[in-house]
Amino acid sequence: ESGQVANRNLVNDISSGLCTDCHTDVRTRMNRPYSHPMNDYDNTCVGCHNPHQTRTDMLGQRMNETCATCHPTQNGPFMFEHLGTRNEGCAGCHEPHGSTHPNLLNRHTTQILCISCHTDTPAFHDQADPRYRQCTACHSAIHGSNISHLLME
C-alpha cells in the first residue's frame, strides 16, 4: 500500500499538453506556422526541458547544449565562431517553440535579423539593392566557419 501512495505523486503523462496547460504563451507560439514537431517523434517538452532544472540553467548555456544534441553541426567548434551565437545562444536568433519563419527565426526575414545586430555593414552593402538583402547568400556559415572570419564557406 505504501507503493500506491508514492506512485500517486508521479506524472505518467509527458505530452506537451501537460506543460502547455500552464505555459499558455508557449502553446500560442507552438501554434505558429513553423514549430518543432512537439507531439511527433517523442519530441515532447521533456525532450528538451528538464522540469527539475532551474530557469537559469534552462535559458543559459545548457540550452545551447540541449539544442546541439539534435543540431550538432551548428554547434561547432569553429575556428571563427559567430559571436552572437556565443554571447546570446541559439535563442538570440531562433524561437524554438514556434515562428512565422521556416527556420524558426525570431524576426520575419533573415535581413531584418542580421541588421538587428550588424548595424555597421560596409557601404557597398546597400540595403536598397536586392542582392544585399539576403545576407546568407554570401555569409552562408552563419553559425560559424573554419574558413573565413566573415562567416563564408
Side-chain angles (χ1 to χ4, degrees):
E1 183 155 330
S2 64
Q4 288 177 337
V5 172
N7 286 337
R8 266 191 284 171
N9 295 325
L10 297 177
V11 175
N12 61 6
D13 177 12
I14 60 166
S15 69
S16 59
L18 177 69
C19 301
T20 59
D21 283 347
C22 294
H23 297 279
T24 56
D25 60 321
V26 173
R27 179 179 33 209
T28 301
R29 289 192 297 260
M30 288 169 51
N31 288 324
R32 289 179 177 165
Y34 302 98
S35 66
H36 276 101
M38 295 297 179
N39 288 315
D40 298 336
Y41 317 109
D42 295 327
N43 190 12
T44 61
C45 301
V46 295
C48 298
H49 300 284
N50 176 349
H52 299 289
Q53 74 184 152
T54 67
R55 182 170 175 79
T56 303
D57 286 344
M58 195 176 296
L59 298 176
Q61 183 60 33
R62 293 200 180 152
M63 179 180 164
N64 296 340
E65 294 167 6
T66 300
C67 297
T69 60
C70 294
H71 305 281
T73 57
Q74 284 79 11
N75 194 44
F78 298 110
M79 184 178 288
F80 303 102
E81 62 183 329
H82 190 181
L83 295 179
T85 303
R86 182 179 73 198
N87 295 334
E88 295 185 40
C90 304
C93 296
H94 298 280
E95 173 52 69
H97 296 114
S99 173
T100 57
H101 191 279
N103 292 327
L104 300 179
L105 299 181
N106 58 22
R107 300 289 194 282
H108 296 293
T109 67
T110 305
Q111 175 200 23
I112 298 299
L113 176 64
C114 294
I115 64 173
S116 68
C117 293
H118 298 280
T119 57
D120 59 344
T121 58
F124 71 90
H125 281 72
D126 179 7
Q127 295 298 298
D129 187 337
R131 24 177 203 176
Y132 296 112
R133 291 187 198 151
Q134 187 57 30
C135 308
T136 56
C138 296
H139 303 279
S140 55
I142 53 176
H143 297 102
S145 173
N146 290 319
I147 297 170
S148 169
H149 71 282
L150 297 173
L151 301 180
M152 297 179 171
E153 292 181 340

